[in-house]
Amino acid sequence: MSTGLHIDWESLAASLRAALSVESGLRREEPLATRTTLRVGGAARILAEPASEADLASVLQRTTAAGVPVIMLGRGSNLLVPDSGVDAVVISLGHPAWQRFVPEADGRVRVGAGLRLKNLCGLASKAGLVGFEFLEGIPGNVGGALRMNAGAMGGWMFDVVEEVRVMSRDGAVRTYRKAEMKVDYRHCAELETAIALEAVLRPARVAPGGDEAIRRQIDAYRDKRHQSQPREPSAGCMFKNPPGDSAGRLIDAAGLKGERVGGAEVSTVHANFIINRGGATSADVIALVRRVRERVQGVSGVTLEPEVLLYGGDWRKEL
Ligand SMILES: Cc1cc2nc3c(=O)[nH]c(=O)nc-3n(C[C@H](O)[C@H](O)[C@H](O)COP(=O)(O)OP(=O)(O)OC[C@H]3O[C@@H](n4cnc5c(N)ncnc54)[C@H](O)[C@@H]3O)c2cc1C
């Protein structure tokens, strides 16, 4: 996706490198396909991996001053990266400094935005913290799950959130209590611009020594996923469920299971997953998304809206 602006990426990269500590990473033309679960798309003009809040603030301030877009990257499990890549500074909180898991005496736990949900589940289970099991199998990190208000098995991320510490694009840090945030289905308005740094989560209850029961619940959820979701690369559910219905049911009813454009295919296991059969391009996926929407609209009169984000772009221009 092009900004249409002329940006001197080499100079910007040099100025960012000069401002960052040696622990932080900075790369030019970093391929993003391998950093996403769908495994399609081009490169980030610049990828920054700050190792501290001070370095993150430096990247944001310099990039904003240069008028260059900044986009966060979590574990890339809800993204479709355009084939042309993204004309932006992509920021990943992949450094271990962002993966904190710090239980407090009352059972609440402070977690870094870069902590994988899988690790959050495992650590919470060991600490006897009940109530995070539904996150098992969502292949994102805490930051991505907050931004998307990720949900499964009847729970939503914000069910367990008490507060979120964020950095705005000018580098200023503040803390939001949950009640101050506008959160709904797969969306958190504040995190469209602000960057989640860490969150305080509250378990449903603390069960010292309850590790085994928690593990059993996690295993049950994992089995359910294995039976109902494809194994091939995907970005999870492609479309949001329309009110009172399921996108997968509508796509199946339109006879679209197995429908294919290039290397992209509507999964035969779960119709709301578009899988990469190997060698799919972003253009294949977009063409298939268009076809699915048109057919479902024709058969059931429902217009499906993508849940997967078009990274650095706008679906409205593509559909
Ligand atoms: C096999 C599979 C199963 C899935 N199952 C589910 C499911 O059951 N339920 C569900 O809700 N989703 C599911 N998903 C989708 C996806 O895993 C979730 O949306 C997840 O929360 C995305 O997290 P991520 O770290 O990968 O974020 P990314 O996909 O990397 O990014 C998502 C958005 O979050 C933003 N973002 C990332 N980090 C931050 C940050 N620190 N601050 C602010 N914004 C940030 C990004 O800019 C982007 O806008 C599934 C995906 C796959 C591939």
Side-chain angles (χ1 to χ4, degrees), residues 141-298:
N141 66 21
V142 167
L146 290 166
R147 162 66 181 83
M148 297 308 301
N149 189 19
M153 315 292 166
W156 280 8
M157 184 65 184
F158 270 84
D159 291 345
V160 296
V161 168
E162 209 166 89
E163 58 185 46
V164 182
R165 207 158 146 268
V166 306
M167 186 178 285
S168 53
R169 298 298 168 107
D170 59 2
V173 172
R174 66 163 287 187
T175 298
Y176 284 106
R177 280 176 289 114
K178 175 163 108 174
E180 296 175 294
M181 303 186 83
K182 286 180 273 321
V183 175
D184 52 30
Y185 179 55
R186 304 291 182 262
H187 187 242
C188 169
E190 287 70 21
L191 297 180
E192 279 193 8
T193 47
I195 291 161
L197 305 174
E198 62 176 16
V200 175
L201 310 181
R202 181 180 281 283
R205 61 195 166 81
V206 184
D211 187 13
E212 206 180 305
I214 300 172
R215 284 255 51 109
R216 270 202 303 276
Q217 183 62 75
I218 287 177
D219 290 347
Y221 286 154
R222 185 183 304 124
D223 289 349
K224 202 168 167 190
R225 270 181 196 273
H226 278 163
Q227 284 157 21
S228 60
Q229 293 182 358
R231 307 284 165 88
E232 294 84 354
S234 78
C237 287
M238 181 52 73
F239 298 97
K240 294 180 183 173
N241 287 324
D245 210 334
S246 129
R249 192 198 69 76
L250 292 165
I251 297 166
D252 195 5
L256 285 159
K257 273 187 169 174
E259 187 75 15
R260 201 161 169 169
V261 175
E265 184 180 294
V266 175
S267 165
T268 52
V269 177
H270 188 317
N272 199 14
F273 278 56
I274 288 184
I275 57 171
N276 181 353
R277 275 260 165 236
T281 62
S282 198
D284 292 341
V285 178
I286 291 171
L288 189 53
V289 164
R290 246 188 242 128
R291 190 180 296 172
V292 168
R293 279 184 105 224
E294 281 163 16
R295 289 258 199 99
V296 168
Q297 170 74 49

Side-chain angles (χ1 to χ4, degrees), residues 37 71-79 93 113 117 137-141 143-145 147-152 186 191 194-197 225 229 234-237 273 307 309 311:
T37 52
I71 325 182
M72 292 306 292
L73 176 68
R75 293 194 62 83
S77 62
N78 201 53
L79 305 178
L93 303 182
L117 296 176
I138 303 180
N141 66 21
R147 162 66 181 83
M148 297 308 301
N149 189 19
R186 304 291 182 262
L191 297 180
I195 291 161
L197 305 174
R225 270 181 196 273
Q229 293 182 358
S234 78
C237 287
F273 278 56
E307 172 174 328
L309 303 173
Y311 202 49

